[in-house]
Amino acid sequence: MIAISAVSHALLFSLLCEASAVILLNSTDSSPPTNNFTDIEAALSAPLDSTDLPKARRKRYISQNDMIAILDYHNQVRGKVFPPAANMEYMVWDENLAKSAEAWAATCIWDHGPSYLLRFLGQNLSVRTGRYRSILQLVKPWYDEVKDYAFPYPQDCNPRCPMRCFGPMCTHYTQMVWATSNRIGCAIHTCQNMNVWGSVWRRAVYLVCNYAPKGNWIGEAPYKVGVPCSSCPPSYGGSCTDNLCFPGVTSNYLYWFK
């Protein structure tokens, strides 16, 4: 699923993970998965030992300011959905998701992956050339798809890709506002030479954002409509802020940059 836009003479491409749809269509069980927390953590942790990364990639390739901007923007969008959401969960930064995004961004492959993680994760991608003033220039095109989205289902905005894409698209947006996708981790990497649909881009800026639990399950709405926070999971203990079910621990990013 790919959206194309031009910003200030720079090229920007966005790609949304279609893996959830593919998994559901090919599965013998059409019901959504349980998103077992232990399975997700095991899948994220097992292949991501620092020895698997080139030495140049062992530093963090997203700044604290960019991380905060991405996280805050997602929560702003989630808290202002229309129709209003009764069960929208506050999104927190997740270090393991960020590490998995970092490992994939470093490959400079313009596609979703790695495949073994896409069973558990949602994923939004953006790539662009040229200078940019804010990381949100790579993120906001995902939200802009809201203009083509009619609640509750995204089936009416699924253009055929990757060769050519026609018509509106909105599944980047629905992943952003999937109520139960309450964790995000992103990484940004500058690829010296990146193959984007047969064209080699020089110094392409590649953003990878991973989400858990994944969203965009076929036949499901991204959230329940109702009075904000009226259907929060019991684990939130009735806590609500800015129309979002609010957790006791807001993020682990404070430890990530120590």
Side-chain angles (χ1 to χ4, degrees), residues 48-253:
L48 293 174
D49 188 276
S50 61
T51 57
D52 295 333
L53 298 175
K55 290 183 179 180
R57 292 293 303 135
R58 291 179 187 172
K59 59 178 289 189
R60 299 289 183 226
Y61 269 77
I62 188 166
S63 71
Q64 186 172 8
N65 287 341
D66 284 349
M67 181 274 295
I68 293 173
I70 291 172
L71 182 61
D72 286 351
Y73 184 70
H74 274 74
N75 279 319
Q76 290 171 14
V77 168
R78 291 166 71 85
K80 296 178 180 179
V81 293
F82 185 84
N87 65 328
M88 187 67 71
E89 299 180 35
Y90 186 89
M91 187 173 278
V92 301
W93 189 262
D94 186 280
E95 181 177 0
N96 284 334
L97 290 175
K99 286 181 178 178
S100 66
E102 178 184 26
W104 187 247
T107 68
C108 293
I109 296 173
W110 180 233
D111 200 355
H112 289 289
S115 58
Y116 67 89
L117 284 183
L118 297 181
R119 294 175 53 209
F120 307 102
L121 308 181
Q123 189 177 76
N124 280 357
L125 310 177
S126 288
V127 63
R128 64 170 290 148
T129 60
R131 296 181 179 180
Y132 65 94
R133 286 181 285 183
S134 168
I135 190 67
L136 294 184
Q137 290 177 255
L138 284 84
V139 177
K140 285 183 177 179
W142 303 337
Y143 169 74
D144 289 343
E145 295 171 0
V146 67
K147 68 182 184 300
D148 297 311
Y149 176 63
F151 189 89
Y153 304 123
Q155 288 95 326
D156 293 335
C157 48
N158 275 341
R160 298 291 181 179
C161 297
M163 297 308 295
R164 288 188 180 275
C165 302
F166 298 95
M169 174 179 53
C170 56
T171 37
H172 295 91
Y173 168 72
T174 51
Q175 176 59 80
M176 292 181 76
V177 299
W178 204 270
T180 56
S181 294
N182 57 19
R183 293 183 286 148
I184 186 174
C186 305
I188 192 164
H189 182 66
T190 300
C191 302
Q192 296 303 316
N193 296 288
M194 185 172 180
N195 189 317
V196 180
W197 299 330
S199 299
V200 176
W201 289 21
R202 310 294 183 187
R203 295 191 58 78
V205 179
Y206 191 21
L207 174 67
V208 178
C209 284
N210 287 341
Y211 302 79
K214 72 188 301 179
N216 284 331
W217 294 101
I218 289 178
E220 288 195 11
Y223 56 84
K224 298 177 183 177
V225 174
V227 175
C229 299
S230 62
S231 295
C232 292
S235 59
Y236 286 89
S239 180
C240 181
T241 184
D242 296 327
N243 299 329
L244 302 173
C245 306
F246 193 73
V249 178
T250 58
S251 180
N252 62 14
Y253 77 81

